[in-house]
Amino acid sequence: MAPDGDGQERAARRRQQRGWYFYDFACSVYSTSVVTVFLGPYLTEVAKAAADQDGYVHPLGLSVRAGSFFAYCISASVVLAIVTMPLTGSAADRTGRKKPLLGAAAYLGACATAGMFFLDGDRYLLGGALLIVANASLAVSMALYNSYLPQIATPEERDAVSSRGWAFGYASGALVLLLDLGLFTAHARFGVSEGVAVRICLATAGLWWGAFTLVPLARLRDARAGAPSAPGSAAPDAGTAEGGWRQLATTLRDMRHRPLTFAFLLAYLIYSDGIQTVISQASVYGSEELGLGQSTLITAVLLVQVLAVGGALTMGRLARAYGAKRTILGSLVAWTATLTAGYFLPAGAPVWFFVLAAGIGLVLGGTQALSRSLFSHLVPRGKEAGYFSAYEMSDRGLAWVGPLLFGLTYQLTGSYRAAILSLIAFFVLGFALLARVPVRRAVREAGNPVPERI
């Protein structure tokens, strides 16, 4: 990133930043409307329609309980994303043309999501394939999208620019969910069945994703291939797939000399996987175990979206008073208590599900935001890019474990209550590992100044 220059350069940078925000505005609707609300319950019903008399479907000759199919597809999509991300990342570094790759990933995901309109009857294999493609495409596109941040913002601007991107995503998720809620609850007035209303909501998320992706593609500019790299960026041979994996391996080997940084990263990866699994499986639990309708689930997710903003701000203030580590540990206790309460929720009682959603919303944004800021203190100066690349790749690499555990628990027990309770293990283990990390010493060992409160 060139130093801040004259007004024209500043204006050009602001233009790119405003375009960059809109990719979060475009794709967050997929995460909220498709993964969190509609697709889990709907795909589960489609799989049940295709199941045999014992309740099993048989994709690729495997026997899978219909209620576990959605969770397994989420896990498969993460594995595909992990295989694909180093290839696209190395191609972007080699050619300097991130924007065409971002566009390709975004429109592949948007088209797969729009194609969910045709998911009806017993087409569970079509639904699973579209979910895997869309979810993996989102992960790849987000890796490319995030890599623009150092290019479009000076170091002093990055916190604010990144936060505005998150805000745009929350705003679009809430807006489209309101529209979805109107269509779903009044589907009879529009002359469509409940199933068709859900398929319209799924398809319009893909159309929204594709339409607003035009804004960042129009405004973002690619850097020249071979332009000087920032300190800590990928090695010259990282433009190849082998080089990309080699750079990641080099960073992980460097972490061996900073075991406290690695210990924090391990704790984060475990409880973050728990968070992501709760987000993706909550709607299945609400519909299948608690017998709640889609309108209730949509309202609950809206509540999460709104409260996540206030919760993140509140936890930021708590971190200033008590330190980030203590605040994160407190949030993990809150996550554990929330899931425990979720196990005991009575079926058919939407008010208590809203209370559960409020608890999730209050700790959701803050846990992730403070984890990222705390990790930034543990990264040695000049190696930020390599360490944060490992942070993202490792996070994606373990994100299949939670859905897999959820699916296996349900398959073995036939109970979604047992499946949701199994996720407590991620927060308990994450708490135990984080509590053992002496963060002040970890900051000093990374060669960074120790904040007054951390």
Side-chain angles (χ1 to χ4, degrees), residues 315 327-341 356 359-360 362-363 367 427 431:
M315 286 183 63
T327 306
I328 295 170
L329 289 173
S331 76
L332 298 181
V333 173
W335 275 105
T336 301
T338 300
L339 288 181
T340 302
L356 182 72
I360 291 174
L362 288 173
V363 293
T367 305
F427 299 103
F431 180 99

Side-chain angles (χ1 to χ4, degrees), residues 220-267:
L220 290 173
R221 296 289 178 265
D222 280 332
R224 300 188 314 275
S229 299
S233 60
D237 68 345
T240 66
E242 181 183 357
W245 284 104
R246 187 179 298 124
Q247 176 62 25
L248 178 63
T250 299
T251 300
L252 293 176
R253 281 197 300 271
D254 188 67
M255 280 191 195
R256 293 169 58 186
H257 304 294
R258 296 173 178 83
L260 298 181
T261 299
F262 181 78
F264 170 80
L265 181 60
L266 180 61

Side-chain angles (χ1 to χ4, degrees), residues 318-324 326 377 440 450-454:
L318 289 173
R320 286 197 294 271
Y322 301 104
R326 288 183 180 178
H377 292 289
R440 288 185 172 275
V450 181
E452 182 180 351
R453 293 194 181 278
I454 191 162

Side-chain angles (χ1 to χ4, degrees), residues 132-343:
I132 291 170
V133 170
N135 225 39
S137 297
L138 177 68
V140 171
S141 69
M142 286 302 295
L144 294 166
Y145 163 74
N146 289 334
S147 72
Y148 271 101
L149 184 57
Q151 180 181 321
I152 65 172
T154 64
E156 295 76 17
E157 295 172 336
R158 287 174 200 167
D159 287 344
V161 170
S162 180
S163 297
R164 290 185 198 119
W166 277 91
F168 267 58
Y170 279 125
S172 71
L175 173 61
V176 174
L177 269 183
L178 279 173
L179 298 174
D180 289 342
L181 182 60
L183 172 62
F184 185 82
T185 56
H187 61 84
R189 294 183 185 178
F190 292 99
V192 298
S193 67
E194 185 176 292
V196 171
V198 170
R199 288 160 50 204
I200 291 172
C201 292
L202 294 173
T204 52
L207 296 176
W208 180 285
W209 185 357
F212 285 101
T213 295
L214 292 172
V215 180
L217 293 182
R219 293 199 171 190
L220 290 173
R221 296 289 178 265
D222 280 332
R224 300 188 314 275
S229 299
S233 60
D237 68 345
T240 66
E242 181 183 357
W245 284 104
R246 187 179 298 124
Q247 176 62 25
L248 178 63
T250 299
T251 300
L252 293 176
R253 281 197 300 271
D254 188 67
M255 280 191 195
R256 293 169 58 186
H257 304 294
R258 296 173 178 83
L260 298 181
T261 299
F262 181 78
F264 170 80
L265 181 60
L266 180 61
Y268 166 74
L269 295 179
I270 290 172
Y271 66 74
S272 176
D273 193 14
I275 292 171
Q276 297 304 321
T277 307
V278 172
I279 293 171
S280 66
Q281 304 301 322
S283 61
V284 176
Y285 181 70
S287 64
E288 296 297 314
E289 185 67 37
L290 304 182
L292 302 176
Q294 283 284 8
S295 59
T296 299
L297 298 176
I298 296 171
T299 304
V301 173
L302 273 172
L303 186 61
V304 170
Q305 292 284 106
V306 173
L307 291 179
V309 178
L313 296 175
T314 300
M315 286 183 63
R317 287 192 290 269
L318 289 173
R320 286 197 294 271
Y322 301 104
K325 177 184 173 180
R326 288 183 180 178
T327 306
I328 295 170
L329 289 173
S331 76
L332 298 181
V333 173
W335 275 105
T336 301
T338 300
L339 288 181
T340 302
Y343 176 83

